[in-house]
Amino acid sequence: MSETTVHASPSVYGYLAEFDSADGLLAAAKATHAEGYAKVEAYSPFPVHGVSEALGFHEAKVPWIIFLAGVTGAMAGIGLQWWTGSVDYPMNVGGRPNFAWPQFVPVTFECTVLFAAFGAVVGMLALNGLPRPNHPIFNGKRFELASQDRFFLCIESEDPKFDPHDTRRFLESLNAHAVSEVRHDDED
Amino acid sequence: MAPKNPLEETFIEGEHSYETLDRSIGDLVLDQKRQPGMKWWVPFAVGFTLLQVMMLALTMLVFVGTGIWGINNPVGWGFAIINFVWWIGIGHAGTLISAILLLFRQQWRNSINRFAEAMTIFAVMCAGIFPLMHTGRPWVAYWLMPLGPDTLRMWPQFRSPLVWDVFAVSTYFTVSALFWFIGMIPDFATLRDRATKVFPKVAFGIVAMGWRGAARHWHRYEQAYLILAGLSTPLVLSVHSIVSLDFAVSLIPGWHATIFPPYFVAGAVYAGFAMVLTFAIPVRKWYRLEHVITMKHVEWMAKIMLATGLFVFYGYLTEVFYAFYSGVEWERFMMLNRMTGPYWWAYWSLIFCNGLVPQILWSKKVRQNTGILFVVCMFVSIGMWLERFVIVVTSLHRDFLPSSWGMYFGTVWDWALYTGTIGFFLFCMFLFMRFLPMINMFEVKELFSRMIGAKPATSGKSAVAAEVGVHE
């Protein structure tokens, strides 16, 4: 790949630094955040605790989605049992109440869990923008190791502080195993 | 840096790196030559053969009806309900391992959870067959769902535990399947990236859904996974409780007891761990996974089995106590009939299998001996089946009116369907072991990264390995 074409080239997705260990990645993420980079992403084969926070990411939307889904499930469950048993098709069983709420606890609970579980899975995938089979980061050098035994940090070219020269030098100063350029297109 | 927990040291044995862990687990799928040959084919063939027996039994049932079974007038709930409860119980260990042990931060679970979750899913599938067929007309099973007056001109009766059961079991299956799938996405990505052949690369690429291990993705992933575990924990307790309410809400002596929900849940975990060990003991050997499913795992599972076995045994004693303490003539008769009536052999075999045999697990030597442990697990599985037989049959066959007493025995078709579902279970489990990563690779690697602490994990080299090379 030719380094000279990098300047202001829209085809550069970012610079990718490769690390040997989870701790190396964590230290690099902290340093990158401290340096003022904003469009940064770390990649690791397993969750490395503290990396997302080190990048300044503290989102807690998933728990709220799950909570709201669970509440929806609970209301749907109790509503279904109330409406079918008391309004649409009341049936007198030995004079017992139609809205026998203690008897409605199990189904309400199951509906709560069912909806919340779908909220967790669908919410997590949707916020992550998955499924997305292709992504420029997959063009990164040795990036197939990101799911195996290597740790990567990418500073994206959309970052306001991104500069082909300085960013590369900065990444090299982080004890990275290797630093390479990631392009949008596959051909380079 | 997380503090080093001394307990973690031996959860992965031998010299390893991330690379060797991936290779020992993931490449079992990618490199089919690493499958253990006949040791895979023989159990698979047994499962496949019995699966045909199941298909035959189901076909007969659909054509002829439930008359081919042994159920009769006093005993309307025969093998179908016994086997349903047995299978559902077996599934419970999977959720316990994957969810409850996760919440308690028992990291040793990381190498057995995937496997146990697969068992849950297949066991619940086997369980579902029985009530479905017991309806007699499985093609109208959708009547159980609240589909509304347009379809049925009526609604399900939500004041009945049988409807709760439909919701509990279908929710349990769905949530378990979601939990299992979500847990596999990062491993699918690993397999996608390691695959060299086109077909596995494309197939795992599709199911990995483009997972790229981004820190923000992991952040949300862990939130979702942890909360799913939190949801699954009360769910698993609710499922067998609701199953037990099918019995406890009725008025039959021997069923109408408040101890049923906790007693059923303990029995479920007990049977489930026995089944996990039944598979784990041979499989860890055949697939050379002793370094991740260590003797420590085996021993701890045996201890959980012993503990839950004692809960169950306590349940049996309580049942006897209350039968006499209650002063209810029918309860007292039920208990005497269980012990000395025509089904005395079932009751005493159950006490032997579930109450006495597991007591040898107090010995560390026995817990460390996989051969004996395997036999104990067989006893427990049989014992738990007998427990459900005793509960269902002895309570029903002689109830309030002596004029309506009767006897119940399973027919050849009852046994065919039962052994058939065991075949179906074997068939599914061995397919799973061949084509999906049977141990959670990313969680094992995470555990490994905590074990090695701050040392750099160079791929495939022993720099790391020396750190964890010391065995127990």
Side-chain angles (χ1 to χ4, degrees), chain B residues 290-445:
Chain B
E290 286 112 328
H291 59 288
V292 272
I293 306 179
T294 65
M295 275 318 287
K296 191 145 256 173
H297 291 92
V298 172
E299 200 190 331
W300 287 4
M301 286 195 271
K303 281 183 181 171
I304 295 184
M305 224 166 77
L306 177 61
T308 48
L310 290 172
F311 295 165
V312 171
F313 195 45
Y314 173 76
Y316 300 154
L317 297 178
T318 310
E319 276 192 318
V320 179
F321 175 75
Y322 275 102
F324 291 94
Y325 184 71
S326 67
V328 177
E329 192 185 338
W330 319 109
E331 290 283 343
R332 203 169 58 221
F333 171 77
M334 177 279 300
M335 191 47 74
L336 286 174
N337 183 47
R338 259 186 202 180
M339 292 173 165
T340 60
Y343 292 109
W344 64 270
W345 49 270
Y347 185 76
W348 293 111
S349 312
L350 142 74
I351 296 294
F352 176 73
C353 292
N354 276 359
L356 299 183
V357 172
Q359 300 310 319
I360 63 167
L361 295 177
W362 287 101
S363 150
K364 192 180 168 88
K365 272 207 190 90
V366 171
R367 293 196 304 264
Q368 296 275 3
N369 183 326
T370 51
I372 303 181
L373 206 50
F374 188 81
V375 175
V376 172
C377 292
M378 287 285 131
F379 270 104
V380 171
S381 291
I382 295 170
M384 286 310 293
W385 189 86
L386 284 168
E387 178 198 302
R388 280 65 180 250
F389 181 87
V390 166
I391 291 174
V392 169
V393 176
T394 63
S395 299
L396 284 174
H397 91 120
R398 289 182 174 176
D399 63 358
F400 306 97
L401 269 183
S403 61
S404 63
W405 287 1
M407 287 295 285
Y408 169 84
F409 295 102
T411 63
V412 64
W413 292 110
D414 280 306
W415 287 106
L417 189 55
Y418 175 49
T419 48
T421 52
I422 293 175
F424 176 63
F425 186 72
L426 272 177
F427 174 78
C428 292
M429 280 304 285
F430 278 85
L431 279 183
F432 157 71
M433 285 178 216
R434 186 144 202 156
F435 297 112
L436 291 173
M438 71 167 120
I439 289 177
N440 194 324
M441 292 191 277
F442 88 83
E443 285 188 347
V444 168
K445 284 189 278 186

Side-chain angles (χ1 to χ4, degrees), chain A residues 85-151:
Chain A
S86 307
V87 180
D88 195 49
Y89 201 93
M91 191 194 285
N92 189 333
V93 182
R96 288 172 180 79
N98 284 321
F99 186 78
W101 72 265
Q103 304 280 74
F104 293 168
V105 170
V107 170
T108 309
F109 172 77
E110 301 300 332
C111 291
T112 310
V113 171
L114 184 67
F115 278 57
F118 273 105
V121 173
V122 176
M124 185 273 284
L125 289 177
L127 287 174
N128 282 347
L130 298 176
R132 177 176 175 178
N134 205 355
H135 189 276
I137 196 72
F138 287 124
N139 298 334
K141 206 176 158 201
R142 284 164 50 95
F143 190 76
E144 69 278 4
L145 297 177
S147 68
Q148 300 179 43
D149 59 355
R150 289 302 168 121
F151 304 81

Side-chain angles (χ1 to χ4, degrees), chain B residues 253-311:
Chain B
W255 288 4
H256 191 57
T258 47
I259 196 178
F260 261 44
Y263 159 52
F264 266 52
V265 171
V269 174
Y270 184 43
F273 270 88
M275 192 58 95
V276 174
L277 275 173
T278 306
F279 272 89
I281 286 171
V283 164
R284 66 192 280 275
K285 201 160 231 116
W286 294 344
Y287 284 85
R288 298 202 193 91
L289 291 170
E290 286 112 328
H291 59 288
V292 272
I293 306 179
T294 65
M295 275 318 287
K296 191 145 256 173
H297 291 92
V298 172
E299 200 190 331
W300 287 4
M301 286 195 271
K303 281 183 181 171
I304 295 184
M305 224 166 77
L306 177 61
T308 48
L310 290 172
F311 295 165

Side-chain angles (χ1 to χ4, degrees), chain B residues 134-207:
Chain B
H134 194 241
T135 59
R137 286 187 284 166
W139 51 92
V140 291
Y142 64 89
W143 288 4
L144 293 164
M145 288 293 159
L147 293 175
D150 295 341
T151 329
L152 306 173
R153 299 197 177 82
M154 62 170 83
W155 293 98
Q157 177 51 265
F158 286 105
R159 286 171 288 180
S160 158
L162 296 180
V163 177
W164 308 346
D165 222 14
V166 173
F167 278 76
V169 174
S170 54
T171 300
Y172 185 46
F173 179 75
T174 313
V175 174
S176 301
L178 286 174
F179 201 62
W180 194 52
F181 179 68
I182 282 294
M184 279 196 289
I185 291 174
D187 282 3
F188 287 150
T190 307
L191 291 174
R192 171 198 66 200
D193 293 342
R194 285 183 72 86
T196 46
K197 296 192 187 94
V198 174
F199 178 73
K201 205 165 190 74
V202 171
F204 286 119
I206 291 169
V207 282

